[in-house]
Each structure stands twice: as structure tokens, then as C-alpha cells.
Amino acid sequence: MNAAVLLIVGVAVLLLGYVFYGRWLAKQWGLDDSRVTPAHELEDGKDYCPAKAPVLMGHHFSSIAGAGPINGPIQAAVFGWVPVMLWILIGGIFFGGVHDFGALFASIRNKGQSIGEVIAASIGPRAKKLFLIFAYLTLILVVAAFASIVANTFKATYTEAGVLDLAASAANASTAMISILFILMAIVFGFFVYRRNAPLAVATVIGVIAIILCMVIGLNWHPIYLSGKAWMIIVGLYIAVASVTPVWILLQPRDYLSSFLLYGMMILAVVGILGCHPTIDMPAFTGFVDTLAPTGTSLGYLFPALFVTIACGAVSGFHSLVGSGTTAKQLNRERDAKPIAYGGMLIECGLALISVCTVGYIWTQYASGETVTPTVVFATGLASMFSNVFGAATYNVVYSMLILAVSAFCLTSLDTATRLARYMFQEFFLGAGQTREDLTGWKKSITHPVVATIITVVLGVALGMTGYAKIWALFGAANQLLAALGLLAVCCWLGKIGRNNKMFYIPMFFMLIVTLTSLVFTIKGQFAGIAAGTDVVWCWVRAIIAILLVILAIVLVVEGVKALSAQKKAHQA
């Protein structure tokens, strides 16, 4: 299969989905620009803060993308490019796009509150409490997985004798240095745009030039060489601070500028793929069981592994938390919801297709276990394509830019996830119509933004210390189960307000079956590890989390089905 043909066909299908299905959804739900959005109604300069569509698109996309649309498709490539491509296209248009668009729409019609509040309004307060517990556990896994990925991207390499290997560590040190400079530059950008009213167009041009300068400096000067554990602690401190600062200081400007890294990365990818137009060596279909296992660990059966491994890039529960947690509080106009939520999901699908092309290009290296880390596979594949078109001298620059872009997205997802977890933690202790100011005693203390954030960061970083590979399967299943519950929540809410919700039924029940099956396999695997005496403590931790997720999900589904049944009877009466 030619990679260029695969990409062109895939993007064309996604565009058709956006134009026709996206427009139909907007009509069915009744987007109305005359309504005041929560960003204006409740503006507080901290969490509720109107943002121009390009700025908010940058935040939203950078937050939902992370390393997901790169990691998932590359890992799932063991089943062949046909099932991966089909799930990306069908999942993105009919599952993920509906999920993201619906979650954002429901939130802006509920004062920018989270999916938990939407559940309280449409299913009941008990369901809200259960969902908040479920979402919080999932976000802990998000923090753990992405913190581990970032630390691995930055960490230095040591020889068996414990001596620092400068040559092997240089690329990671460059990425770390560029990322630090990028964060500092984003703070300056936010200050001038939001506090000195600098024209966005002028500031953007200067910001893009500054990104290039950050890369030049970082590639030539990178004095920081630290271990993965040290970087985990530093990343934890960073997200703790970043997630409690007003959004205009770091979140909005950094995510907006990060989007240009993304656009640059995707442009480089398209130029490389179309210019090189290689024939990908990956088989179309390898079978229903992963017998290849390039990392040394088999993904198991195609069902449910394919649909859990590819989350971002098809459908991801984390997106509903981003849309209803931060994006809804910054949406300027209702009509912006379609391009930002539905369009953002389909752009992510495009990135997932690019990932398929990259792993296909270096398939021999991947299948043999020579190059298996997804971010390295992605950067190596694209840099190789690009250098084949424009010369070997471009390889290192393109490779560094791609690794930087991935780490920037991971950092964005990290502090967004931490901020969302803090919201969930605080909401759990609030009654109907209450704010934190209404609380007293220990509840008021524990829901303080700093305290709630510290609890989240400590739990996430501690779990992340075990390595992302050990929690990725659990994270994937929890994330996809969260998507099923997000679909259930919006479905119930639309039914309550009398809007068409039939487009949610198939995605919702399919994802429930997939993820519950996956969690059962995960629990079985953890108990096998306990029986074998391997990493017993963390096997117990992961097993307990998985069991809790299954119980919470089943109870929530029962509550949701009851609510949908009651709505149906009410409409028939």
C-alpha cells in the first residue's frame, strides 16, 4: 500500500464526515449563536475566560492530542494497516467526533460545568458522585502515563556502569531544554497578549519566530542531564504550579503556540509522505491475535485490544473532560463548538493516519523490535521520509522538532488533566448549587485548589514511576470506558431536553462491551502477576483500580438506562 494514497483517501473521508455529518449534528442539537456562552456569562479572568477561536482551538487540540494519536496507532499496527485505518475513520467520524462535540455542547448549555454536573441534571446526584470517582481515577492514570512518557523523552542515558552517556543523551537533553525555553516564552506571550493587548497576529508571528529560536538554542546548548526519576519529580512540580495558575498566564498562550508546533509537524509529515510516497511494508492484516509482539508483550486479541489501544485518534473519554472542563469555560460563541470539538477530533484522526504511515515506512525495524518506542518510531519514520526528499542534512532538525512537538503535547495534556482532576475532586464534595465558599471544616480545607492539586500530582506521579508500559493497558481501558460513560451522559441529557440522541446508542453500547471486556483481561493479568510474585504491590494497585472501574461503570450504566427508560415512558405518555 502506498502511504501517500492511504493518507489522501483517509483525509478525504474525514473532510466529508466533517462537512456532512458534523453539519447534521449541529442542526439536530440546535447550536445558537444568539445565546451567551458561560465564558461571557461567568467570566472571572481565571477559569472562565473568553478566547478567540484559533487560540481555543490551540488549547483544545493540544490538550486532547498528547501522545495518544501517535502511541495508539503505532502499537495497534501489529494487527495490520486495514483494521487500524478503518477504526480511525469510522471511530473518528461516528464515535469520537460525536462524543467530543456532544460533551462540549452539553457543557456550554450547563454553565460550562463538567460532565459530572450534566449527569447530575439528567440521571441524578448519586450517578454524579459515582462518575466523579470514576473520572478522577481515570485522570490519575492520565497523569501517570503522560508524566512517564515526558520523563522518558527528557531523561539521560547511563551505561551499565552508571556513567552518563553524553552522545546517547544529547537528543533528549535538547528536547528538555527546548521545552523549558518554550514554556518561558509562552508566559511572556500571554502577558503581552492578555495584559498589554498586543495584536494577536503580530504576537503570533513573533511567537513562531521565538519557537524557532528556542529550537536553535536547545539544539546547540543543552546542559541539563537528569535521570528519569528526577524528571518525574520536576514534571510533577511543573504541573502542580501550571494547573492552579489563571488560564491566561500559561494554559492559553502555551497551548496556542503549541498548536503551531502541531501544524508545523503535520505539514512536515504531509510533505514527507507525499514527497517520498513510499510503499509501506506493513501487512494489510496480520490476524486476530497479536503474535508479533515487537515490545515483548502481546496485545492479545484484536477484540478488544484494537479499540482500546487506539483511543485518541478514534474516540477518547479524556476528550469529554477537556471539552466540559476547560474548553467550555473559554468558548466565545456556540458556533465555534463544531470546528473546535468535532473538527479537532478529526484533525487528531489525521495525525493518527500519519502515525500509521510512519510505522509502515520503518516496519522492518519495528517488527524486529529494533525501534519500538512509539514517539521514536514516529520521529524516525517521518525524519527518514523527509531526508529522502530534501537530503540527509535535514534528518536531525526534523527529528528534534517532532520529538519536541510530542513532548509539548504531553505536557499540555498533563497540566490540563491535573486541572481537570482538581475540578473533579472539588466537585465531589459540593452539593447541588453549592460553591467551595459554602463548605466548612475539613471539606473546605481539602478542596482548596492547592491541596486538591497536590493530592492529584502525588498519586499520579507515584503511579507513573512504575513506567507507562505497565499502566498503558489499564489507562486505555479506563479512558475508553470513560468515553462510553460520556456518551451515556450526553445521550441522557439530550433526551431530557427533547433533542435527537439516537446517534449515541451504537457508539455507547459498543464502547461499553469493548472496555468491560478489556478490563476483565487486565484484572486477570494482574492476578497472574501476583501469583507469579512479579511486582506484587503494583499488580494489586492496578487490579484494585480496574475492579473499582468495572463496578462504578456497571452501576452508572444501570442508572443511565433507568433514566433513558423513564424519558421514553414520559415521551410516550
Side-chain angles (χ1 to χ4, degrees):
M1 179 63 180
N2 186 283
V5 173
L6 185 150
L7 183 62
I8 291 169
V9 171
V11 170
V13 172
L14 293 173
L15 285 172
L16 290 172
Y18 177 81
V19 171
F20 294 105
Y21 198 60
R23 183 169 58 193
W24 180 76
L25 291 173
K27 287 182 179 178
Q28 292 296 305
W29 299 341
L31 257 65
D32 183 0
D33 254 5
S34 67
R35 298 176 69 104
V36 178
T37 63
H40 291 283
E41 181 185 356
L42 304 171
E43 185 173 0
D44 59 8
K46 186 176 182 181
D47 292 320
Y48 289 86
C49 186
K52 294 179 180 178
V55 175
L56 187 54
M57 181 63 160
H59 155 68
H60 182 80
F61 187 81
S62 297
S63 296
I64 66 172
I70 294 170
N71 279 27
I74 289 174
Q75 290 178 312
V78 292
F79 296 112
W81 66 264
V82 169
V84 171
M85 184 177 181
L86 287 175
W87 174 233
I88 289 170
L89 297 179
I90 295 171
I93 294 170
F94 299 105
F95 287 61
V98 174
H99 170 270
D100 293 15
F101 193 7
L104 179 56
F105 178 64
S107 181
I108 59 176
R109 289 292 178 89
N110 284 272
K111 298 187 180 296
Q113 294 177 308
S114 74
I115 286 293
E117 293 298 331
V118 175
I119 287 177
S122 56
I123 301 177
R126 184 174 70 169
K128 171 198 166 182
K129 294 285 188 184
L130 293 171
F131 178 82
L132 290 176
I133 296 172
F134 185 96
Y136 187 76
L137 288 173
T138 303
L139 287 168
I140 293 295
L141 292 170
V142 172
V143 172
F146 282 77
S148 180
I149 290 171
V150 171
N152 282 323
T153 304
F154 292 171
K155 73 177 182 180
T157 301
Y158 294 86
T159 65
E160 291 183 5
V163 178
L164 175 65
D165 187 337
L166 281 173
S169 304
N172 282 9
S174 292
T175 303
M177 193 64 204
I178 295 169
S179 298
I180 292 169
L181 293 172
F182 180 78
I183 290 167
L184 296 174
M185 184 262 293
I187 293 171
V188 174
F189 179 91
F191 173 77
F192 280 102
V193 170
Y194 291 101
R195 286 298 177 266
R196 290 293 181 265
N197 296 316
L200 182 61
V202 175
T204 298
V205 172
I206 295 172
V208 172
I209 294 172
I211 290 174
I212 296 171
L213 288 175
C214 288
M215 291 184 63
V216 172
I217 294 170
L219 287 170
N220 292 281
W221 182 66
H222 38 265
I224 303 174
Y225 293 84
L226 299 172
S227 67
K229 186 172 290 187
W231 276 118
M232 282 291 287
I233 295 170
I234 292 170
V235 168
L237 292 172
Y238 165 74
I239 60 177
V241 173
S243 61
V244 295
T245 57
V247 293
W248 66 267
I249 292 178
L250 181 59
L251 186 142
Q252 284 185 350
R254 187 214 46 216
D255 294 358
Y256 174 62
L257 291 171
S258 291
S259 68
F260 287 95
L261 278 174
L262 163 75
Y263 305 145
M265 180 178 77
M266 294 190 75
I267 289 169
L268 285 175
V270 171
V271 170
I273 292 170
L274 296 183
C276 188
H277 55 84
T279 298
I280 58 178
D281 297 325
M282 187 195 323
F285 179 61
T286 61
F288 291 98
V289 181
D290 171 21
T291 56
L292 191 63
T295 62
T297 304
S298 173
L299 291 181
Y301 298 100
L302 184 145
F303 181 93
L306 175 70
F307 308 100
V308 171
T309 305
I310 304 177
C312 299
V315 56
S316 168
F318 178 58
H319 296 189
S320 68
L321 302 184
V322 174
S324 68
T326 55
T327 306
K329 295 177 175 65
Q330 301 171 64
L331 196 76
N332 190 38
R333 299 172 300 189
E334 279 203 359
R335 70 179 175 188
D336 293 342
K338 178 190 167 188
I340 288 171
Y342 195 78
M345 179 66 238
L346 297 192
I347 294 174
E348 191 177 64
C349 294
L351 181 55
L353 291 174
I354 289 170
S355 299
V356 176
C357 294
T358 60
V359 69
Y361 185 58
I362 62 166
W363 179 252
T364 302
Q365 291 174 247
Y366 183 72
S368 66
E370 180 184 343
T371 306
V372 295
T373 303
T375 51
V376 176
V377 171
F378 183 79
T380 301
L382 283 181
S384 299
M385 286 187 216
F386 203 83
S387 62
N388 280 344
V389 179
F390 296 100
T394 62
Y395 182 92
N396 287 338
V397 174
V398 173
Y399 182 93
S400 297
M401 181 180 176
L402 294 169
I403 291 292
L404 168 65
V406 174
S407 67
F409 300 147
C410 285
L411 282 170
T412 298
S413 296
L414 262 174
D415 69 66
T416 299
T418 309
R419 186 182 291 264
L420 293 171
R422 187 242 301 175
Y423 292 158
M424 300 290 171
F425 190 89
Q426 291 171 313
E427 278 185 30
F428 181 80
F429 296 97
L430 299 177
Q434 277 190 321
T435 66
R436 183 176 170 272
E437 300 305 316
D438 299 320
L439 299 177
T440 58
W442 68 271
K443 285 187 178 181
K444 187 164 187 177
S445 298
I446 203 171
T447 55
H448 188 282
V450 174
V451 175
T453 299
I454 290 173
I455 292 171
T456 300
V457 171
V458 169
L459 291 173
V461 170
L463 186 58
M465 290 283 192
T466 67
Y468 88 91
K470 294 182 179 179
I471 56 176
W472 190 262
L474 180 56
F475 156 70
N479 184 49
Q480 297 302 71
L481 193 47
L482 183 61
L485 297 178
L487 289 162
L488 173 65
V490 181
C491 180
C492 291
W493 175 75
L494 285 170
K496 184 178 180 180
I497 65 171
R499 294 285 183 180
N500 185 3
N501 64 356
K502 300 297 187 296
M503 68 287 292
F504 286 88
Y505 285 178
I506 292 176
M508 175 175 67
F509 286 114
F510 180 79
M511 295 312 298
L512 280 171
I513 294 168
V514 163
T515 50
L516 288 174
T517 303
S518 179
L519 281 170
V520 169
F521 284 149
T522 298
I523 293 167
K524 181 181 176 182
Q526 298 310 309
F527 280 115
I530 293 168
T534 306
D535 200 17
V536 174
V537 173
W538 285 109
C539 279
W540 272 112
V541 170
R542 291 189 288 266
I544 290 168
I545 291 174
I547 292 168
L548 281 173
L549 291 173
V550 170
I551 294 170
L552 288 168
I554 290 173
V555 175
L556 276 167
V557 169
V558 170
E559 295 276 335
V561 170
K562 286 181 180 177
L564 287 171
S565 178
Q567 289 171 8
K568 186 176 180 179
K569 290 178 181 177
H571 291 317
Q572 290 174 345

